[in-house]
Amino acid sequence: LHRRRHSFPTRRSSDLINTNKRAPEFISLFIDENLKKGLKGKSEAEVDEVLRKTICVFRFLHEKDTFERYYKQHLAKRLLQGRSVSDDAERGMMAKLKVESGHGYVVKLQGMLNDMKTSEELMEELGRVVKRSDRGMPMGLGVSVLTSTNWPISAQAPSCVMPEEMMETRRRFEEFYASRHNGRVLTWHANLGSADVKVAFRARSHEINVSTFALVVLLLFGDVEEGVALSYGDISKRTMISDSDLERT
Protein backbone atom coordinates (compact mmCIF):
# COMPACT_ATOMS: atom_id res chain seq x y z
CA LEU A 1 0.00 0.00 0.00
CA HIS A 2 1.20 3.45 -0.81
CA ARG A 3 0.27 5.95 1.88
CA ARG A 4 -0.07 9.55 0.76
CA ARG A 5 0.13 12.52 3.08
CA HIS A 6 -2.33 15.33 2.56
CA SER A 7 -1.90 18.87 3.81
CA PHE A 8 -4.50 21.62 3.77
CA PRO A 9 -3.57 24.61 1.64
CA THR A 10 -3.12 27.90 3.50
CA ARG A 11 -6.33 29.34 2.12
CA ARG A 12 -8.36 26.36 3.39
CA SER A 13 -6.96 26.73 6.93
CA SER A 14 -7.56 30.46 6.92
CA ASP A 15 -11.18 30.02 5.81
CA LEU A 16 -11.78 27.43 8.54
CA ILE A 17 -10.44 29.61 11.36
CA ASN A 18 -12.12 32.83 10.24
CA THR A 19 -15.55 31.24 9.79
CA ASN A 20 -16.18 31.95 13.48
CA LYS A 21 -16.51 35.71 14.06
CA ARG A 22 -15.35 35.29 17.67
CA ALA A 23 -12.11 33.53 16.74
CA PRO A 24 -9.94 36.55 17.81
CA GLU A 25 -11.61 36.59 21.25
CA PHE A 26 -11.42 32.82 21.72
CA ILE A 27 -7.73 32.62 20.80
CA SER A 28 -6.96 35.46 23.25
CA LEU A 29 -8.98 33.68 25.97
CA PHE A 30 -7.08 30.44 25.33
CA ILE A 31 -3.76 32.26 25.73
CA ASP A 32 -5.12 33.99 28.84
CA GLU A 33 -5.91 30.64 30.46
CA ASN A 34 -2.39 29.37 29.74
CA LEU A 35 -0.69 32.48 31.14
CA LYS A 36 -2.61 32.63 34.42
CA LYS A 37 -0.95 31.84 37.73
CA GLY A 38 -1.99 28.59 39.37
CA LEU A 39 -2.30 26.59 36.16
CA LYS A 40 -2.26 22.93 37.22
CA GLY A 41 -0.64 20.03 35.48
CA LYS A 42 1.63 21.95 33.09
CA SER A 43 5.25 22.94 33.36
CA GLU A 44 6.54 26.26 32.01
CA ALA A 45 8.06 24.41 29.05
CA GLU A 46 4.73 22.72 28.27
CA VAL A 47 2.91 26.05 28.46
CA ASP A 48 5.46 27.57 26.08
CA GLU A 49 4.89 24.73 23.62
CA VAL A 50 1.10 25.25 23.76
CA LEU A 51 1.56 28.98 23.10
CA ARG A 52 3.93 28.26 20.21
CA LYS A 53 1.23 26.12 18.60
CA THR A 54 -1.36 28.83 19.27
CA ILE A 55 0.73 31.24 17.19
CA CYS A 56 0.24 28.87 14.24
CA VAL A 57 -3.51 29.49 14.54
CA PHE A 58 -3.04 33.24 15.13
CA ARG A 59 -1.09 33.39 11.86
CA PHE A 60 -4.27 32.70 9.88
CA LEU A 61 -6.45 35.30 11.64
CA HIS A 62 -7.82 38.08 9.46
CA GLU A 63 -8.93 40.29 12.38
CA LYS A 64 -5.58 40.71 14.11
CA ASP A 65 -6.54 44.19 15.34
CA THR A 66 -9.59 42.70 17.07
CA PHE A 67 -7.37 40.05 18.65
CA GLU A 68 -5.00 42.76 19.90
CA ARG A 69 -7.91 44.60 21.56
CA TYR A 70 -9.02 41.46 23.44
CA TYR A 71 -5.45 40.49 24.28
CA LYS A 72 -4.81 43.91 25.81
CA GLN A 73 -7.91 43.60 28.01
CA HIS A 74 -6.99 40.11 29.18
CA LEU A 75 -3.38 41.11 29.82
CA ALA A 76 -4.50 44.11 31.88
CA LYS A 77 -6.61 41.88 34.12
CA ARG A 78 -3.79 39.38 34.58
CA LEU A 79 -1.32 42.08 35.55
CA LEU A 80 -3.55 44.22 37.78
CA GLN A 81 -5.05 41.21 39.59
CA GLY A 82 -1.66 39.55 40.07
CA ARG A 83 -2.76 36.51 38.06
CA SER A 84 0.09 36.33 35.53
CA VAL A 85 2.20 33.18 35.75
CA SER A 86 5.44 35.15 35.27
CA ASP A 87 6.96 38.18 33.58
CA ASP A 88 9.17 35.88 31.48
CA ALA A 89 6.16 33.95 30.15
CA GLU A 90 4.37 37.19 29.23
CA ARG A 91 7.42 38.58 27.44
CA GLY A 92 7.94 35.24 25.68
CA MET A 93 4.42 35.39 24.27
CA MET A 94 4.94 38.97 23.14
CA ALA A 95 8.15 37.97 21.40
CA LYS A 96 6.15 35.38 19.41
CA LEU A 97 3.53 38.00 18.47
CA LYS A 98 6.29 40.42 17.50
CA VAL A 99 7.81 37.89 15.08
CA GLU A 100 4.40 37.43 13.42
CA SER A 101 3.16 41.03 13.32
CA GLY A 102 6.10 43.37 13.92
CA HIS A 103 7.30 45.63 16.71
CA GLY A 104 4.48 48.15 16.36
CA TYR A 105 1.91 45.45 17.12
CA VAL A 106 3.26 44.76 20.62
CA VAL A 107 4.76 48.11 21.65
CA LYS A 108 1.82 49.02 23.92
CA LEU A 109 1.67 45.50 25.35
CA GLN A 110 5.35 45.74 26.24
CA GLY A 111 4.66 49.18 27.71
CA MET A 112 2.10 47.59 30.07
CA LEU A 113 4.70 45.12 31.35
CA ASN A 114 7.25 47.91 31.74
CA ASP A 115 4.74 49.96 33.78
CA MET A 116 4.26 47.05 36.19
CA LYS A 117 8.02 46.59 36.58
CA THR A 118 8.53 50.31 37.21
CA SER A 119 5.67 50.29 39.74
CA GLU A 120 7.30 47.44 41.67
CA GLU A 121 10.54 49.41 41.89
CA LEU A 122 8.59 52.54 42.92
CA MET A 123 6.86 50.69 45.78
CA GLU A 124 10.19 49.28 46.99
CA GLU A 125 11.56 52.82 47.09
CA LEU A 126 8.46 54.06 48.94
CA GLY A 127 8.94 51.30 51.50
CA ARG A 128 12.50 52.47 52.18
CA VAL A 129 11.35 56.10 52.50
CA VAL A 130 8.57 55.19 54.96
CA LYS A 131 10.99 53.07 56.98
CA ARG A 132 13.35 56.04 57.38
CA SER A 133 10.49 58.43 58.19
CA ASP A 134 8.96 59.21 61.57
CA ARG A 135 5.48 58.77 60.07
CA GLY A 136 4.09 55.36 59.19
CA MET A 137 1.45 54.89 56.51
CA PRO A 138 -2.17 54.79 57.80
CA MET A 139 -2.65 51.53 55.92
CA GLY A 140 -0.65 49.25 53.67
CA LEU A 141 -0.50 50.45 50.09
CA GLY A 142 0.40 49.00 46.71
CA VAL A 143 0.11 51.27 43.68
CA SER A 144 0.41 50.48 39.98
CA VAL A 145 1.25 53.65 38.07
CA LEU A 146 0.00 53.12 34.53
CA THR A 147 0.82 55.10 31.40
CA SER A 148 -2.63 56.06 30.11
CA THR A 149 -1.77 55.57 26.42
CA ASN A 150 -0.68 51.94 26.99
CA TRP A 151 -3.66 50.58 28.90
CA PRO A 152 -7.27 49.86 27.85
CA ILE A 153 -8.57 52.15 30.61
CA SER A 154 -10.83 55.16 30.35
CA ALA A 155 -9.09 58.47 30.99
CA GLN A 156 -12.08 59.48 33.14
CA ALA A 157 -11.86 57.78 36.53
CA PRO A 158 -15.18 56.55 38.00
CA SER A 159 -16.59 58.60 40.89
CA CYS A 160 -15.62 57.48 44.40
CA VAL A 161 -15.31 59.45 47.65
CA MET A 162 -12.87 57.62 49.93
CA PRO A 163 -12.83 57.74 53.74
CA GLU A 164 -10.21 59.92 55.43
CA GLU A 165 -7.80 57.09 56.32
CA MET A 166 -7.65 56.10 52.65
CA MET A 167 -7.32 59.73 51.55
CA GLU A 168 -4.40 60.30 53.93
CA THR A 169 -2.63 57.26 52.48
CA ARG A 170 -3.26 58.61 48.97
CA ARG A 171 -1.88 62.03 49.88
CA ARG A 172 1.27 60.50 51.32
CA PHE A 173 1.88 58.57 48.10
CA GLU A 174 1.17 61.63 45.95
CA GLU A 175 3.73 63.66 47.92
CA PHE A 176 6.30 60.90 47.44
CA TYR A 177 5.53 60.57 43.71
CA ALA A 178 5.60 64.35 43.09
CA SER A 179 9.03 64.55 44.72
CA ARG A 180 10.36 62.22 42.02
CA HIS A 181 8.23 63.13 39.00
CA ASN A 182 7.54 66.83 38.87
CA GLY A 183 4.53 67.88 36.79
CA ARG A 184 2.91 64.48 36.35
CA VAL A 185 -0.79 64.14 37.21
CA LEU A 186 -2.13 61.02 38.91
CA THR A 187 -5.72 59.86 38.37
CA TRP A 188 -6.93 57.24 40.84
CA HIS A 189 -9.00 54.38 39.38
CA ALA A 190 -10.64 52.78 42.41
CA ASN A 191 -12.58 50.37 40.17
CA LEU A 192 -9.35 48.54 39.27
CA GLY A 193 -8.03 47.98 42.79
CA SER A 194 -8.44 45.39 45.54
CA ALA A 195 -7.79 45.19 49.27
CA ASP A 196 -6.97 42.59 51.92
CA VAL A 197 -9.09 43.36 54.97
CA LYS A 198 -9.45 41.86 58.44
CA VAL A 199 -13.11 42.18 59.40
CA ALA A 200 -14.22 41.67 63.03
CA PHE A 201 -17.75 40.38 63.59
CA ARG A 202 -19.31 39.50 66.95
CA ALA A 203 -18.25 35.87 67.03
CA ARG A 204 -15.06 35.83 64.99
CA SER A 205 -12.82 37.68 62.55
CA HIS A 206 -12.31 37.00 58.85
CA GLU A 207 -9.55 37.98 56.44
CA ILE A 208 -11.09 38.74 53.07
CA ASN A 209 -10.04 40.11 49.70
CA VAL A 210 -12.44 42.70 48.29
CA SER A 211 -12.56 45.35 45.59
CA THR A 212 -11.51 48.90 46.51
CA PHE A 213 -15.14 49.95 46.16
CA ALA A 214 -16.09 47.29 48.72
CA LEU A 215 -13.39 48.55 51.11
CA VAL A 216 -14.80 52.09 50.82
CA VAL A 217 -18.26 50.75 51.73
CA LEU A 218 -17.02 48.53 54.57
CA LEU A 219 -15.14 51.40 56.21
CA LEU A 220 -18.40 53.36 56.50
CA PHE A 221 -19.63 50.79 59.01
CA GLY A 222 -16.70 51.41 61.36
CA ASP A 223 -18.49 54.46 62.80
CA VAL A 224 -22.01 52.99 62.88
CA GLU A 225 -23.40 52.37 66.36
CA GLU A 226 -24.74 48.97 67.39
CA GLY A 227 -28.21 48.37 65.95
CA VAL A 228 -28.02 51.29 63.50
CA ALA A 229 -28.23 50.56 59.77
CA LEU A 230 -26.93 52.29 56.66
CA SER A 231 -29.37 52.39 53.76
CA TYR A 232 -28.38 52.07 50.12
CA GLY A 233 -29.16 55.78 49.79
CA ASP A 234 -26.84 56.62 52.70
CA ILE A 235 -23.99 54.63 51.16
CA SER A 236 -24.59 56.11 47.71
CA LYS A 237 -24.59 59.67 49.04
CA ARG A 238 -21.43 59.23 51.10
CA THR A 239 -19.36 57.33 48.53
CA MET A 240 -20.67 58.87 45.27
CA ILE A 241 -20.06 55.49 43.58
CA SER A 242 -22.20 55.07 40.46
CA ASP A 243 -25.34 52.92 40.79
CA SER A 244 -24.04 50.27 38.39
CA ASP A 245 -20.87 49.82 40.46
CA LEU A 246 -22.52 50.26 43.86
CA GLU A 247 -25.29 47.72 43.23
CA ARG A 248 -22.69 45.12 42.32
CA THR A 249 -20.55 46.08 45.33
Side-chain angles (χ1 to χ4, degrees):
L1 292 175
H2 179 62
R3 182 175 294 171
R4 296 179 62 188
R5 290 186 177 181
H6 296 275
S7 60
F8 289 109
T10 302
R11 183 178 176 184
R12 187 81 169 272
S13 302
S14 178
D15 289 346
L16 176 65
I17 292 165
N18 289 285
T19 298
N20 192 323
K21 298 294 185 184
R22 297 183 67 186
E25 178 187 3
F26 290 156
I27 295 172
S28 180
L29 279 169
F30 181 77
I31 295 171
D32 184 55
E33 285 299 311
N34 280 277
L35 285 175
K36 278 182 179 175
K37 186 184 294 184
L39 192 68
K40 294 181 180 178
K42 286 184 181 177
S43 67
E44 194 166 320
E46 288 171 327
V47 170
D48 187 70
E49 177 62 14
V50 169
L51 296 177
R52 186 188 66 77
K53 291 178 179 179
T54 307
I55 285 292
C56 295
V57 181
F58 168 81
R59 189 172 295 147
F60 293 116
L61 267 184
H62 292 160
E63 300 294 333
K64 287 184 169 61
D65 288 345
T66 303
F67 169 87
E68 192 250 357
R69 187 173 72 248
Y70 281 114
Y71 191 88
K72 191 182 291 185
Q73 292 169 354
H74 294 146
L75 174 63
K77 287 184 178 180
R78 287 198 301 274
L79 296 179
L80 295 177
Q81 295 173 3
R83 298 287 304 278
S84 179
V85 64
S86 73
D87 186 74
D88 287 343
E90 295 287 0
R91 292 188 184 277
M93 185 62 208
M94 285 182 199
K96 293 177 176 63
L97 291 172
K98 182 178 177 180
V99 169
E100 291 298 319
S101 300
H103 174 73
Y105 191 80
V106 299
V107 65
K108 289 187 177 180
L109 302 176
Q110 290 175 332
M112 292 165 70
L113 286 180
N114 293 340
D115 282 347
M116 296 303 293
K117 182 67 175 176
T118 302
S119 295
E120 288 178 16
E121 295 168 353
L122 190 67
M123 295 313 300
E124 289 173 0
E125 187 179 358
L126 176 63
R128 292 191 291 268
V129 170
V130 171
K131 199 171 183 179
R132 294 195 300 266
S133 171
D134 296 333
R135 295 187 301 165
M137 295 290 267
M139 56 177 63
L141 179 70
V143 178
S144 297
V145 181
L146 315 178
T147 306
S148 58
T149 53
N150 290 336
W151 294 74
I153 297 170
S154 171
Q156 183 68 36
S159 174
C160 178
V161 176
M162 297 183 180
E164 180 53 33
E165 53 263 59
M166 292 181 72
M167 289 302 300
E168 176 58 23
T169 307
R170 274 180 52 168
R171 285 192 290 267
R172 293 283 302 281
F173 178 80
E174 287 170 346
E175 290 173 7
F176 161 77
Y177 190 79
S179 69
R180 281 148 180 79
H181 301 283
N182 187 34
R184 292 189 186 177
V185 178
L186 292 174
T187 303
W188 294 81
H189 287 259
N191 59 314
L192 300 176
S194 63
D196 295 319
V197 192
K198 189 170 185 179
V199 185
F201 296 99
R202 289 193 188 90
R204 56 182 297 187
S205 296
H206 296 272
E207 291 187 7
I208 57 177
N209 179 267
V210 298
S211 68
T212 302
F213 281 156
L215 173 62
V216 169
V217 172
L218 283 171
L219 287 173
L220 296 180
F221 288 86
D223 299 326
V224 176
E225 295 180 5
E226 185 72 22
V228 178
L230 288 177
S231 70
Y232 178 89
D234 293 332
I235 296 171
S236 178
K237 186 176 180 179
R238 292 175 63 177
T239 65
M240 300 299 292
I241 297 172
S242 69
D243 283 336
S244 59
D245 288 319
L246 189 56
E247 286 169 13
R248 183 170 59 251
T249 301

